[in-house]
Amino acid sequence: NAGVTQTPKFQVLKTGQSMTLQCAQDMNHNSMYWYRQDPGMGLRLIYYSASEGTTDKGEVPNGYNVSRLNKREFSLRLESAAPSQTSVYFCASSEAGRITGELFFGEGSRLTVL
Amino acid sequence: ELKVEQNPLFLSMQEGKNYTIYCNYSTTSDRLYWYRQDPGKSLESLFVLLSNGAVKQEGRLMASLDTKARLSTLHITAAVHDLSATYFCPLRPNFGNEKLTFGTGTRLTIIP
């Protein structure tokens, strides 16, 4: 099993450009997440999806949109990229309602906005 | 608002020594996790702690949870270089709230 797969792994954008980060999981999990990781800040939740068709804002949603296309896929879109969005983005999934409920993470997508 | 504080933020220790990383949190929680992240890599789940007094051990790492003190610890015994990584202790505030809150992590460097 591949687990959680993110694409692209690296991307350089200019300010104002748009792009979509793709995430897919093959573990049949209900819940999916997008986090960003910045030096000294730990991981901060951008958006969360409890199931297909539902999304919820996290701690830092401004400047991002998400789409839960189906149970497997959860995409993150930057409509007009800003240098402050330079970060490493992690997608994760978990089995909601499971007693342990740990998150499984993808390999990350490193985004640089010039 | 749920806050997670880890200390120390940075830890450099010699091989063979013992040390403890502390994780304090601000509200009640029913599940606390420990994750490891190697530089430039993803996060790997180490432990899930579900109840007061829970203790989990794997190799040289032992994690414990005191829900009354809102404190979890990660104890490292006889450290080896392979344990060098950043460690996080995210938690869920309660069952049904599936959002994990992370702290800033503890960067551990083991010196040969």
Side-chain angles (χ1 to χ4, degrees), chain B:
Chain B
E1 181 186 352
L2 177 58
K3 291 190 182 297
V4 179
E5 292 186 356
Q6 291 182 234
N7 68 81
L9 298 183
F10 300 93
L11 175 58
S12 182
M13 54 190 293
Q14 287 185 316
E15 278 191 330
K17 299 292 186 182
N18 303 334
Y19 210 81
T20 300
I21 298 171
Y22 297 89
C23 175
N24 291 90
Y25 54 97
S26 59
T27 67
T28 57
S29 169
D30 72 336
R31 281 175 287 176
L32 186 142
Y33 306 83
W34 282 95
Y35 279 84
R36 168 187 172 139
Q37 184 181 35
D38 293 319
K41 302 294 186 181
S42 185
L43 285 84
E44 173 191 0
S45 178
L46 297 173
F47 302 111
V48 180
L49 302 171
L50 300 176
S51 60
N52 188 43
V55 177
K56 294 283 185 72
Q57 183 165 5
E58 179 72 33
R60 300 175 188 274
L61 299 178
M62 183 175 71
S64 65
L65 177 62
D66 181 344
T67 57
K68 294 179 181 177
R70 297 180 185 170
L71 171 69
S72 180
T73 61
L74 181 67
H75 187 72
I76 302 148
T77 301
V80 293
H81 181 67
D82 287 351
L83 291 178
S84 296
T86 298
Y87 293 86
F88 295 95
C89 59
L91 68 161
R92 297 180 190 275
N94 50 64
F95 192 81
N97 183 339
E98 302 297 324
K99 301 177 187 177
L100 250 62
T101 298
F102 283 76
T104 55
T106 295
R107 180 177 291 183
L108 174 64
T109 303
I110 309 296
I111 303 168

